[in-house]
Amino acid sequence: MPKAGRGLEELVATLEEILADSAVEVRSPDHIDGKSGSSREVDVSLRARVGSVEVLVILECRDRGRSQDIEWIDQLIGKRDDVGASKAVAVSRAGFTSGAQKRAEQGAIELRTLDSVTRETVWGWVGVEFATATVRQFDIKRAQICIPTAVPEKIRLAAQRVISGKLQIDAPILVRTTDETPVSLGDVWREAPKPAELDSLTPGIPKRGTLHVVPGDPDESSAWYAIPTEFGQVRISEIVLTGDFRIDQRRIPVSRSVYRSADTSFVEIAHVDVRHKQEVVRMGLHSTLDGSKVVVIDNPGGVAFQADLLFKVIDEGESPVHGN
């Protein structure tokens, strides 16, 4: 399970990548050997070379509901000195107490916040209140993996033993023929061309259907799926998936925030979070000081659903769309 506050660390790492020169390496998290002899974990590190000098900047993040106090700043000063960082930055979603601000100034710690802002404060560059998320789903009920008839019986039986009773959607029972990467039936569904009929479904109402997945090129050297056996890969000829197709549409508010220090706004952020079961996909639109805008899609868990996020203005009186 990800540690509390990991989402803020990942967001800060992404923002720093947007702001950084291409020669800067961003790591999150990072583990650095300290002068104390211990390995120290930092939330985000920036590494670069200036001439012959290696430069290290560390950023520590706190996603708490209250302002951070002097104790955390003292801890960060100690960590900076231990790992030999040129600079340390403290990032708090809720800001800092006055004591923490004074201690940070004394200890040369830069303070940054990730503040939520209102529509009226900034954001002339994105006049969107809500996003409509369309989630395409396929609940697989049956699956058939077809083995070519030319495969010798002994090898065929070995392949059938591998897949027998293991047709759960997320079980990695196949491999890609190019690199032997494990593949599940869910991966096959996500990578296959989507039936045109899927877009004509009524949101929230499932429809039973069958998806036939075949190689785009019958050439044996082309990328495709195979069953791993003790005799090597057994290339399959077709995958037939039967189940319930469904699309859901959800009206999701756009959240806005600013990544900034006391006197400078670095990045303005607008994002929507699409949640499905225990997974989250975040789509963000980031605007930097130089006027550039970057769209970032964050899918940390490799979620087993597809989301097409359409930025669309929804009028105050317009009824929201619904989905489960």
mmCIF file of all heavy atoms in Angstrom, residues 212-241:
data_model
loop_
_atom_site.group_PDB
_atom_site.id
_atom_site.type_symbol
_atom_site.label_atom_id
_atom_site.label_comp_id
_atom_site.label_asym_id
_atom_site.label_seq_id
_atom_site.Cartn_x
_atom_site.Cartn_y
_atom_site.Cartn_z
ATOM 1 N N HIS A 212 -13.222 -10.886 -30.809
ATOM 2 C CA HIS A 212 -12.252 -11.797 -31.415
ATOM 3 C C HIS A 212 -10.951 -11.030 -31.625
ATOM 4 O O HIS A 212 -10.922 -10.026 -32.345
ATOM 5 C CB HIS A 212 -12.759 -12.335 -32.759
ATOM 6 C CG HIS A 212 -13.956 -13.237 -32.631
ATOM 7 N ND1 HIS A 212 -13.854 -14.609 -32.623
ATOM 8 C CD2 HIS A 212 -15.273 -12.949 -32.488
ATOM 9 C CE1 HIS A 212 -15.060 -15.140 -32.492
ATOM 10 N NE2 HIS A 212 -15.936 -14.144 -32.405
ATOM 11 N N VAL A 213 -9.890 -11.487 -31.011
ATOM 12 C CA VAL A 213 -8.593 -10.827 -31.120
ATOM 13 C C VAL A 213 -7.674 -11.735 -31.926
ATOM 14 O O VAL A 213 -7.392 -12.869 -31.528
ATOM 15 C CB VAL A 213 -7.982 -10.554 -29.733
ATOM 16 C CG1 VAL A 213 -6.701 -9.749 -29.866
ATOM 17 C CG2 VAL A 213 -8.977 -9.814 -28.847
ATOM 18 N N VAL A 214 -7.212 -11.250 -33.069
ATOM 19 C CA VAL A 214 -6.347 -12.032 -33.953
ATOM 20 C C VAL A 214 -5.110 -11.208 -34.285
ATOM 21 O O VAL A 214 -5.117 -9.980 -34.156
ATOM 22 C CB VAL A 214 -7.079 -12.438 -35.247
ATOM 23 C CG1 VAL A 214 -8.257 -13.349 -34.945
ATOM 24 C CG2 VAL A 214 -7.544 -11.202 -36.007
ATOM 25 N N PRO A 215 -4.027 -11.862 -34.709
ATOM 26 C CA PRO A 215 -2.816 -11.101 -35.063
ATOM 27 C C PRO A 215 -3.088 -10.148 -36.218
ATOM 28 O O PRO A 215 -3.806 -10.477 -37.168
ATOM 29 C CB PRO A 215 -1.818 -12.184 -35.471
ATOM 30 C CG PRO A 215 -2.351 -13.450 -34.906
ATOM 31 C CD PRO A 215 -3.838 -13.307 -34.874
ATOM 32 N N GLY A 216 -2.515 -8.950 -36.119
ATOM 33 C CA GLY A 216 -2.650 -8.009 -37.223
ATOM 34 C C GLY A 216 -1.862 -8.450 -38.436
ATOM 35 O O GLY A 216 -2.174 -8.095 -39.570
ATOM 36 N N ASP A 217 -0.825 -9.257 -38.200
ATOM 37 C CA ASP A 217 0.029 -9.764 -39.273
ATOM 38 C C ASP A 217 0.286 -11.242 -38.982
ATOM 39 O O ASP A 217 0.804 -11.594 -37.929
ATOM 40 C CB ASP A 217 1.350 -8.995 -39.297
ATOM 41 C CG ASP A 217 2.236 -9.384 -40.470
ATOM 42 O OD1 ASP A 217 1.985 -10.443 -41.079
ATOM 43 O OD2 ASP A 217 3.184 -8.632 -40.759
ATOM 44 N N PRO A 218 -0.110 -12.143 -39.871
ATOM 45 C CA PRO A 218 0.075 -13.570 -39.619
ATOM 46 C C PRO A 218 1.533 -14.005 -39.598
ATOM 47 O O PRO A 218 1.839 -15.140 -39.235
ATOM 48 C CB PRO A 218 -0.681 -14.220 -40.785
ATOM 49 C CG PRO A 218 -0.652 -13.201 -41.882
ATOM 50 C CD PRO A 218 -0.731 -11.873 -41.185
ATOM 51 N N ASP A 219 2.445 -13.116 -39.965
ATOM 52 C CA ASP A 219 3.861 -13.457 -39.978
ATOM 53 C C ASP A 219 4.304 -13.880 -38.578
ATOM 54 O O ASP A 219 4.063 -13.193 -37.597
ATOM 55 C CB ASP A 219 4.669 -12.233 -40.436
ATOM 56 C CG ASP A 219 6.162 -12.531 -40.544
ATOM 57 O OD1 ASP A 219 6.556 -13.669 -40.238
ATOM 58 O OD2 ASP A 219 6.905 -11.613 -40.929
ATOM 59 N N GLU A 220 4.979 -15.009 -38.469
ATOM 60 C CA GLU A 220 5.406 -15.546 -37.181
ATOM 61 C C GLU A 220 6.355 -14.601 -36.437
ATOM 62 O O GLU A 220 6.494 -14.683 -35.222
ATOM 63 C CB GLU A 220 6.099 -16.898 -37.379
ATOM 64 C CG GLU A 220 5.153 -18.028 -37.732
ATOM 65 C CD GLU A 220 4.244 -18.421 -36.565
ATOM 66 O OE1 GLU A 220 4.711 -18.382 -35.425
ATOM 67 O OE2 GLU A 220 3.073 -18.742 -36.800
ATOM 68 N N SER A 221 7.022 -13.704 -37.150
ATOM 69 C CA SER A 221 7.975 -12.806 -36.507
ATOM 70 C C SER A 221 7.311 -11.555 -35.923
ATOM 71 O O SER A 221 7.960 -10.783 -35.221
ATOM 72 C CB SER A 221 9.057 -12.380 -37.513
ATOM 73 O OG SER A 221 8.475 -11.617 -38.571
ATOM 74 N N SER A 222 6.034 -11.342 -36.204
ATOM 75 C CA SER A 222 5.366 -10.145 -35.717
ATOM 76 C C SER A 222 5.030 -10.283 -34.235
ATOM 77 O O SER A 222 4.946 -11.376 -33.689
ATOM 78 C CB SER A 222 4.083 -9.889 -36.519
ATOM 79 O OG SER A 222 3.166 -10.956 -36.332
ATOM 80 N N ALA A 223 4.838 -9.143 -33.585
ATOM 81 C CA ALA A 223 4.512 -9.132 -32.162
ATOM 82 C C ALA A 223 3.123 -9.706 -31.933
ATOM 83 O O ALA A 223 2.168 -9.350 -32.612
ATOM 84 C CB ALA A 223 4.592 -7.702 -31.634
ATOM 85 N N TRP A 224 3.011 -10.606 -30.972
ATOM 86 C CA TRP A 224 1.727 -11.244 -30.692
ATOM 87 C C TRP A 224 1.815 -11.882 -29.322
ATOM 88 O O TRP A 224 2.701 -11.550 -28.517
ATOM 89 C CB TRP A 224 1.398 -12.234 -31.808
ATOM 90 C CG TRP A 224 0.076 -12.943 -31.685
ATOM 91 C CD1 TRP A 224 -0.145 -14.292 -31.696
ATOM 92 C CD2 TRP A 224 -1.223 -12.353 -31.533
ATOM 93 N NE1 TRP A 224 -1.476 -14.567 -31.552
ATOM 94 C CE2 TRP A 224 -2.173 -13.393 -31.445
ATOM 95 C CE3 TRP A 224 -1.674 -11.040 -31.428
ATOM 96 C CZ2 TRP A 224 -3.542 -13.176 -31.276
ATOM 97 C CZ3 TRP A 224 -3.036 -10.813 -31.258
ATOM 98 C CH2 TRP A 224 -3.951 -11.871 -31.196
ATOM 99 N N TYR A 225 0.897 -12.774 -29.000
ATOM 100 C CA TYR A 225 0.861 -13.419 -27.703
ATOM 101 C C TYR A 225 1.159 -14.911 -27.832
ATOM 102 O O TYR A 225 0.857 -15.537 -28.852
ATOM 103 C CB TYR A 225 -0.516 -13.238 -27.049
ATOM 104 C CG TYR A 225 -0.964 -11.803 -26.959
ATOM 105 C CD1 TYR A 225 -2.037 -11.334 -27.722
ATOM 106 C CD2 TYR A 225 -0.319 -10.905 -26.113
ATOM 107 C CE1 TYR A 225 -2.453 -10.016 -27.643
ATOM 108 C CE2 TYR A 225 -0.729 -9.582 -26.032
ATOM 109 C CZ TYR A 225 -1.796 -9.137 -26.789
ATOM 110 O OH TYR A 225 -2.196 -7.841 -26.707
ATOM 111 N N ALA A 226 1.723 -15.460 -26.759
ATOM 112 C CA ALA A 226 2.061 -16.883 -26.747
ATOM 113 C C ALA A 226 1.858 -17.439 -25.346
ATOM 114 O O ALA A 226 1.753 -16.686 -24.368
ATOM 115 C CB ALA A 226 3.502 -17.104 -27.202
ATOM 116 N N ILE A 227 1.797 -18.773 -25.261
ATOM 117 C CA ILE A 227 1.699 -19.461 -23.979
ATOM 118 C C ILE A 227 3.092 -19.968 -23.622
ATOM 119 O O ILE A 227 3.706 -20.689 -24.413
ATOM 120 C CB ILE A 227 0.713 -20.636 -24.058
ATOM 121 C CG1 ILE A 227 -0.664 -20.151 -24.516
ATOM 122 C CG2 ILE A 227 0.611 -21.345 -22.702
ATOM 123 C CD1 ILE A 227 -1.630 -21.272 -24.845
ATOM 124 N N PRO A 228 3.619 -19.609 -22.439
ATOM 125 C CA PRO A 228 4.943 -20.106 -22.060
ATOM 126 C C PRO A 228 4.855 -21.545 -21.541
ATOM 127 O O PRO A 228 4.043 -21.849 -20.667
ATOM 128 C CB PRO A 228 5.361 -19.141 -20.943
ATOM 129 C CG PRO A 228 4.065 -18.700 -20.332
ATOM 130 C CD PRO A 228 3.051 -18.689 -21.435
ATOM 131 N N THR A 229 5.667 -22.433 -22.078
ATOM 132 C CA THR A 229 5.691 -23.835 -21.635
ATOM 133 C C THR A 229 7.144 -24.269 -21.465
ATOM 134 O O THR A 229 8.074 -23.542 -21.809
ATOM 135 C CB THR A 229 5.004 -24.761 -22.653
ATOM 136 O OG1 THR A 229 5.867 -24.924 -23.797
ATOM 137 C CG2 THR A 229 3.666 -24.206 -23.103
ATOM 138 N N GLU A 230 7.310 -25.507 -20.950
ATOM 139 C CA GLU A 230 8.665 -26.032 -20.804
ATOM 140 C C GLU A 230 9.316 -26.297 -22.153
ATOM 141 O O GLU A 230 10.539 -26.509 -22.236
ATOM 142 C CB GLU A 230 8.655 -27.320 -19.973
ATOM 143 C CG GLU A 230 7.889 -28.467 -20.595
ATOM 144 C CD GLU A 230 6.445 -28.538 -20.123
ATOM 145 O OE1 GLU A 230 5.840 -27.466 -19.877
ATOM 146 O OE2 GLU A 230 5.925 -29.662 -20.003
ATOM 147 N N PHE A 231 8.524 -26.274 -23.223
ATOM 148 C CA PHE A 231 9.049 -26.480 -24.571
ATOM 149 C C PHE A 231 9.294 -25.160 -25.301
ATOM 150 O O PHE A 231 9.632 -25.145 -26.480
ATOM 151 C CB PHE A 231 8.083 -27.333 -25.388
ATOM 152 C CG PHE A 231 7.789 -28.673 -24.772
ATOM 153 C CD1 PHE A 231 6.577 -28.905 -24.146
ATOM 154 C CD2 PHE A 231 8.735 -29.685 -24.796
ATOM 155 C CE1 PHE A 231 6.304 -30.131 -23.565
ATOM 156 C CE2 PHE A 231 8.468 -30.915 -24.222
ATOM 157 C CZ PHE A 231 7.253 -31.141 -23.589
ATOM 158 N N GLY A 232 9.091 -24.060 -24.592
ATOM 159 C CA GLY A 232 9.226 -22.752 -25.209
ATOM 160 C C GLY A 232 7.870 -22.100 -25.413
ATOM 161 O O GLY A 232 6.833 -22.579 -24.919
ATOM 162 N N GLN A 233 7.844 -20.993 -26.155
ATOM 163 C CA GLN A 233 6.600 -20.279 -26.402
ATOM 164 C C GLN A 233 5.743 -21.008 -27.435
ATOM 165 O O GLN A 233 6.240 -21.444 -28.472
ATOM 166 C CB GLN A 233 6.886 -18.869 -26.919
ATOM 167 C CG GLN A 233 7.570 -17.955 -25.927
ATOM 168 C CD GLN A 233 7.783 -16.568 -26.509
ATOM 169 O OE1 GLN A 233 7.418 -16.296 -27.652
ATOM 170 N NE2 GLN A 233 8.375 -15.681 -25.712
ATOM 171 N N VAL A 234 4.455 -21.112 -27.125
ATOM 172 C CA VAL A 234 3.492 -21.658 -28.078
ATOM 173 C C VAL A 234 2.633 -20.496 -28.560
ATOM 174 O O VAL A 234 1.772 -19.989 -27.837
ATOM 175 C CB VAL A 234 2.615 -22.747 -27.434
ATOM 176 C CG1 VAL A 234 1.574 -23.254 -28.449
ATOM 177 C CG2 VAL A 234 3.477 -23.893 -26.930
ATOM 178 N N ARG A 235 2.893 -20.063 -29.771
ATOM 179 C CA ARG A 235 2.178 -18.917 -30.336
ATOM 180 C C ARG A 235 0.729 -19.300 -30.575
ATOM 181 O O ARG A 235 0.435 -20.353 -31.164
ATOM 182 C CB ARG A 235 2.852 -18.484 -31.638
ATOM 183 C CG ARG A 235 2.282 -17.216 -32.283
ATOM 184 C CD ARG A 235 3.024 -16.957 -33.580
ATOM 185 N NE ARG A 235 2.431 -15.898 -34.362
ATOM 186 C CZ ARG A 235 2.794 -14.629 -34.311
ATOM 187 N NH1 ARG A 235 3.769 -14.279 -33.507
ATOM 188 N NH2 ARG A 235 2.213 -13.718 -35.064
ATOM 189 N N ILE A 236 -0.226 -18.463 -30.130
ATOM 190 C CA ILE A 236 -1.642 -18.767 -30.293
ATOM 191 C C ILE A 236 -2.188 -18.091 -31.540
ATOM 192 O O ILE A 236 -1.601 -17.133 -32.060
ATOM 193 C CB ILE A 236 -2.435 -18.334 -29.052
ATOM 194 C CG1 ILE A 236 -2.257 -16.835 -28.790
ATOM 195 C CG2 ILE A 236 -1.982 -19.134 -27.829
ATOM 196 C CD1 ILE A 236 -2.963 -16.338 -27.552
ATOM 197 N N SER A 237 -3.316 -18.607 -32.028
ATOM 198 C CA SER A 237 -3.874 -18.100 -33.280
ATOM 199 C C SER A 237 -4.992 -17.092 -33.074
ATOM 200 O O SER A 237 -5.232 -16.231 -33.931
ATOM 201 C CB SER A 237 -4.403 -19.257 -34.128
ATOM 202 O OG SER A 237 -5.378 -20.003 -33.411
ATOM 203 N N GLU A 238 -5.683 -17.147 -31.937
ATOM 204 C CA GLU A 238 -6.823 -16.254 -31.704
ATOM 205 C C GLU A 238 -7.183 -16.285 -30.229
ATOM 206 O O GLU A 238 -6.990 -17.279 -29.538
ATOM 207 C CB GLU A 238 -8.025 -16.688 -32.548
ATOM 208 C CG GLU A 238 -9.234 -15.783 -32.428
ATOM 209 C CD GLU A 238 -10.410 -16.239 -33.290
ATOM 210 O OE1 GLU A 238 -10.365 -17.399 -33.765
ATOM 211 O OE2 GLU A 238 -11.360 -15.463 -33.479
ATOM 212 N N ILE A 239 -7.721 -15.164 -29.752
ATOM 213 C CA ILE A 239 -8.284 -15.080 -28.408
ATOM 214 C C ILE A 239 -9.718 -14.604 -28.553
ATOM 215 O O ILE A 239 -9.983 -13.593 -29.207
ATOM 216 C CB ILE A 239 -7.488 -14.106 -27.520
ATOM 217 C CG1 ILE A 239 -6.029 -14.562 -27.407
ATOM 218 C CG2 ILE A 239 -8.115 -14.002 -26.131
ATOM 219 C CD1 ILE A 239 -5.139 -13.565 -26.704
ATOM 220 N N VAL A 240 -10.650 -15.340 -27.950
ATOM 221 C CA VAL A 240 -12.067 -15.000 -28.031
ATOM 222 C C VAL A 240 -12.552 -14.662 -26.626
ATOM 223 O O VAL A 240 -12.518 -15.506 -25.727
ATOM 224 C CB VAL A 240 -12.891 -16.162 -28.617
ATOM 225 C CG1 VAL A 240 -14.361 -15.734 -28.759
ATOM 226 C CG2 VAL A 240 -12.330 -16.597 -29.967
ATOM 227 N N LEU A 241 -12.979 -13.427 -26.435
ATOM 228 C CA LEU A 241 -13.447 -12.960 -25.133
ATOM 229 C C LEU A 241 -14.936 -12.645 -25.215
ATOM 230 O O LEU A 241 -15.375 -11.873 -26.078
ATOM 231 C CB LEU A 241 -12.682 -11.705 -24.708
ATOM 232 C CG LEU A 241 -11.155 -11.825 -24.646
ATOM 233 C CD1 LEU A 241 -10.537 -10.466 -24.331
ATOM 234 C CD2 LEU A 241 -10.739 -12.850 -23.617
#
